[in-house]
Amino acid sequence: MTNQQQKPGCGCLKIPLSVILFILGGGYWWLIAQGNIAQITKLFPDFHFSNSIASLFPHLSTNRVPPSIPTVSATLAPSPIGTTADRQVLATKSPVVSSTQRSPALVTAPRSRPTPWEQKAIRGLYVSRYQITNNTDEQTIRQRVRYYHSQGINTIIHGVWGNGCTMYNSEVMQQILGTKSCLNQFQNRWLDWTIDEAHTQGMQVHAYFEKGIKIDKDSPIFERAIANKWLVPGVDRTYARVEHYVLDVEVPEVANLFKKMLAEFVIKYPQIDAVQWDDYLGYHAELPGKVDRTASLTKFVRQMISEMKAANPAVKFDLCHHNPYWAKRYFAADWERWGVDRVFIQNYNEKNFQAELNYAVNYAGVAITDSQLPRLKELVNNPKIKSILIFPIAGKPAETADRVLKTIQADSIVSPVPKRIAK
């Protein structure tokens, strides 16, 4: 045969390999890198990439889900605070990862809904006015506030008055009593620092008027009160350990002292969230003479609240007192008629704990001492108890805050700290 018949075919083998690679590479660049694949899918809507192709080109998928980004909780580690007892409490704490020390290798489980403890409107801790004596500095005060916050406390109820004198400089006290404050040494701006740091942490500060209208023999105004006949006759032995004397609010000078002092306070510290008075705003039933001072006390308190609200209507007037029956019967305190903003039932007596609790569910909350922390679980798990205030009898709020957190964690009534999971 002189003329051989050619076999059918495209003759691709005759195309140089370099040309084939150029065509394939250019096609990939046009379809993928330039994003023209979307145009192809519009022209051929019924065409779907196989799994093998999708695995080679994952960015071609039209049903992508953004990858989850692991997060690390950031909590400022508490710093040692002023007293030796405080430092001992903080020394036992393990270090916490700060916002500047986050590691991408650490992730935390997502937060669940707030626990029963976290759902309480006020988780308050009483802090005595003596915590800021000896010229406690700004750094120590701010560290204390952060530490209370780290232990789950959201409200600091801090003493600002007690035993007849203020723990801040007061012009009213200077005019009426001849001295501008208590004799204790304290930094003039201690309360400003406390409020500022608390608000930074999302907390509140309530000013606690410790001892109310009662003083003892160690009061800097005791002799003046005796000389000016400012005291109700007799000794108030509501609490056996201390003999108290009650300032008579029917005496104009005494009434003016408290009304003007409170109005001055909420002007001097406009960012304070509330003021709180307790059962020391009352008289003891066993004072001599069996005089019923209920009406005069009601009139005085209503006037004091009115003047405070006129000076700063944003500040709440709170009361932590006995149930309304006991308060009126034994302390001449008919507080249901006082016009207070919130009432917390003082429940320090174990013998009558349940009876007092039956009242507390009808008001803003309940106050207990640190010796009653075994009661904390039942209070936290009771949804009718709106707030819980805790009073450190030993005067060591940092230790009390630490015990509160440990009690809550031990009773599993708060979510545990999320565990760090290594990738």
Side-chain angles (χ1 to χ4, degrees), residues 351-388:
K351 293 181 180 179
N352 301 294
F353 189 87
Q354 191 56 52
E356 293 287 314
L357 207 59
N358 292 337
Y359 282 100
V361 298
N362 298 316
Y363 298 98
V366 65
I368 63 173
T369 70
D370 53 354
S371 65
Q372 295 172 297
L373 289 184
R375 294 277 193 180
L376 193 57
K377 181 177 181 179
E378 65 176 293
L379 295 176
V380 169
N381 288 331
N382 186 343
K384 294 182 179 180
I385 299 297
K386 306 173 189 67
S387 299
I388 301 174

Side-chain angles (χ1 to χ4, degrees), residues 12-259:
C12 294
L13 294 177
K14 297 181 180 180
I15 301 175
L17 180 60
S18 60
V19 175
I20 295 174
L21 293 175
F22 176 82
I23 293 173
L24 292 176
Y28 177 84
W29 173 83
W30 185 81
L31 287 173
I32 309 306
Q34 296 300 309
N36 291 315
I37 191 64
Q39 304 299 325
I40 299 300
T41 55
K42 289 180 180 178
L43 294 175
F44 302 99
D46 295 330
F47 178 76
H48 299 283
F49 288 102
S50 66
N51 292 334
S52 59
I53 295 178
S55 64
L56 290 174
F57 309 111
H59 58 286
L60 298 181
S61 172
T62 57
N63 299 315
R64 288 180 293 164
V65 178
S68 59
I69 301 174
T71 59
V72 178
S73 60
T75 306
L76 290 176
S79 304
I81 55 184
T83 66
T84 302
D86 290 337
R87 288 194 293 269
Q88 290 175 346
V89 171
L90 293 175
T92 63
K93 299 301 174 187
S94 58
V96 182
V97 179
S98 70
S99 58
T100 59
Q101 296 174 323
R102 296 182 182 179
S103 170
L106 299 178
V107 296
T108 59
R111 279 285 291 195
S112 59
R113 64 177 183 175
T115 64
W117 171 242
E118 294 165 339
Q119 290 175 18
K120 300 303 179 185
I122 297 176
R123 305 185 298 277
L125 180 69
Y126 287 93
V127 180
S128 169
R129 63 194 186 279
Y130 295 119
Q131 288 291 307
I132 49 85
T133 56
N134 298 320
N135 283 322
T136 306
D137 60 26
E138 179 180 1
Q139 180 182 7
T140 299
I141 288 171
R142 290 183 180 274
Q143 288 172 345
R144 285 174 175 170
V145 174
R146 291 196 294 270
Y147 180 72
Y148 300 145
H149 178 260
S150 73
Q151 302 305 98
I153 301 300
N154 72 356
T155 303
I156 298 171
I157 309 164
H158 207 303
V160 299
W161 155 276
N163 212 17
C165 60
T166 58
M167 292 298 286
Y168 57 91
N169 293 329
S170 167
E171 292 183 9
V172 170
M173 188 171 172
Q174 179 70 53
Q175 293 170 0
I176 297 178
L177 301 178
T179 180
K180 64 181 180 179
S181 68
C182 295
L183 301 179
N184 308 87
Q185 293 182 332
F186 54 85
Q187 298 272 359
N188 187 42
R189 296 194 59 209
W190 74 266
L191 187 52
D192 293 313
W193 299 328
T194 301
I195 296 172
D196 179 69
E197 187 61 41
H199 287 179
T200 299
Q201 302 299 327
M203 305 169 71
Q204 287 197 2
V205 178
H206 298 181
Y208 179 35
F209 286 77
E210 299 179 75
K211 289 204 174 189
I213 61 175
K214 301 183 182 183
I215 62 175
D216 58 42
K217 290 183 178 180
D218 292 329
S219 170
I221 70 168
F222 181 74
E223 298 297 335
R224 180 185 291 261
I226 292 289
N228 292 339
K229 299 181 180 180
W230 289 349
L231 300 177
V232 172
V235 179
D236 186 326
R237 293 188 175 89
T238 306
Y239 300 100
R241 291 181 298 176
V242 182
E243 292 187 344
H244 283 109
Y245 301 83
V246 187
L247 292 164
D248 190 351
V249 298
E250 292 188 45
V251 176
E253 283 181 290
V254 173
N256 287 335
L257 167 65
F258 284 105
K259 288 186 287 186

Side-chain angles (χ1 to χ4, degrees), residues 211-416:
K211 289 204 174 189
I213 61 175
K214 301 183 182 183
I215 62 175
D216 58 42
K217 290 183 178 180
D218 292 329
S219 170
I221 70 168
F222 181 74
E223 298 297 335
R224 180 185 291 261
I226 292 289
N228 292 339
K229 299 181 180 180
W230 289 349
L231 300 177
V232 172
V235 179
D236 186 326
R237 293 188 175 89
T238 306
Y239 300 100
R241 291 181 298 176
V242 182
E243 292 187 344
H244 283 109
Y245 301 83
V246 187
L247 292 164
D248 190 351
V249 298
E250 292 188 45
V251 176
E253 283 181 290
V254 173
N256 287 335
L257 167 65
F258 284 105
K259 288 186 287 186
K260 291 182 179 180
M261 177 187 67
L262 190 58
E264 175 196 48
F265 178 81
V266 296
I267 293 174
K268 185 178 180 69
Y269 300 100
Q271 300 303 317
I272 198 75
D273 298 290
V275 301
Q276 184 181 123
W277 297 64
D278 60 13
D279 59 323
Y280 282 94
L281 187 55
Y283 298 93
H284 193 225
E286 296 181 2
L287 287 170
K290 302 296 182 182
V291 178
D292 186 359
R293 297 180 173 86
T294 305
S296 61
L297 184 61
T298 295
K299 179 182 178 181
F300 160 71
V301 177
R302 290 182 66 88
Q303 290 176 347
M304 185 169 62
I305 294 175
S306 177
E307 293 198 20
M308 186 201 84
K309 292 289 187 178
N312 189 339
V315 180
K316 292 185 180 297
F317 188 100
D318 292 348
L319 184 70
C320 184
H321 219 296
H322 302 287
N323 72 65
Y325 171 77
W326 280 14
K328 185 176 180 181
R329 172 67 178 81
Y330 297 104
F331 297 89
D334 189 9
W335 54 253
E336 289 185 305
R337 300 181 56 205
W338 287 358
V340 303
D341 291 305
R342 292 177 296 204
V343 177
F344 304 90
I345 300 299
Q346 190 179 106
N347 202 354
Y348 300 164
N349 191 332
E350 278 295 303
K351 293 181 180 179
N352 301 294
F353 189 87
Q354 191 56 52
E356 293 287 314
L357 207 59
N358 292 337
Y359 282 100
V361 298
N362 298 316
Y363 298 98
V366 65
I368 63 173
T369 70
D370 53 354
S371 65
Q372 295 172 297
L373 289 184
R375 294 277 193 180
L376 193 57
K377 181 177 181 179
E378 65 176 293
L379 295 176
V380 169
N381 288 331
N382 186 343
K384 294 182 179 180
I385 299 297
K386 306 173 189 67
S387 299
I388 301 174
L389 315 182
I390 301 170
F391 187 88
I393 291 179
K396 299 177 180 179
E399 290 185 7
T400 298
D402 178 64
R403 289 177 57 204
V404 168
L405 183 61
K406 288 179 178 178
T407 299
I408 290 172
Q409 291 177 333
D411 289 332
S412 300
I413 51 182
V414 66
S415 298

